[in-house]
Amino acid sequence: MMQLAQQTQVSGVGKARQVSAYVFVSCAQPKRIVHALSRLPGVVKADALLGASEAVLVVERHNFEALQTLLTEVQATPGVKKVSVKLAA
């Protein structure tokens, strides 16, 4: 996650930009996981992917620390096996 911190950018003078990311979640029951994760604050969209044991989330948080907190909650959700994060540019 430290790599994510290095990728975040600051826009303007002293104003942190909102952090958006795509989160790919490997899990055994994508529909159940999507239902649980869509309730977390910061999850804008959550979809189960057909033909794969994955779900994809679109998340937005006001800073990197809040994003890290959200990702920790996602990873701790029962049934989640692995989380892969891609920051939006």
Side-chain angles (χ1 to χ4, degrees):
M1 281 201 233
M2 288 306 293
Q3 290 176 338
L4 292 177
Q6 295 168 352
Q7 294 174 10
T8 58
Q9 299 177 358
V10 175
S11 62
V13 179
K15 279 185 148 180
R17 189 173 91 178
Q18 185 167 355
V19 181
S20 299
Y22 294 91
V23 182
F24 298 89
V25 180
S26 295
C27 53
Q29 298 175 332
K31 288 183 181 181
R32 185 184 66 75
I33 294 296
V34 162
H35 182 71
L37 296 179
S38 65
R39 297 177 179 195
L40 294 176
V43 176
V44 176
K45 185 170 173 66
D47 289 313
L49 301 178
L50 293 176
S53 294
E54 283 192 330
V56 63
L57 311 174
V58 176
V59 299
E60 292 181 353
R61 299 305 292 154
H62 58 279
N63 60 35
F64 180 72
E65 290 77 21
L67 177 63
Q68 283 184 305
T69 300
L70 175 58
L71 295 175
T72 300
E73 290 180 57
V74 169
Q75 183 66 54
T77 301
V80 171
K81 296 177 182 176
K82 181 180 170 187
V83 174
S84 176
V85 181
K86 304 290 183 190
L87 288 179

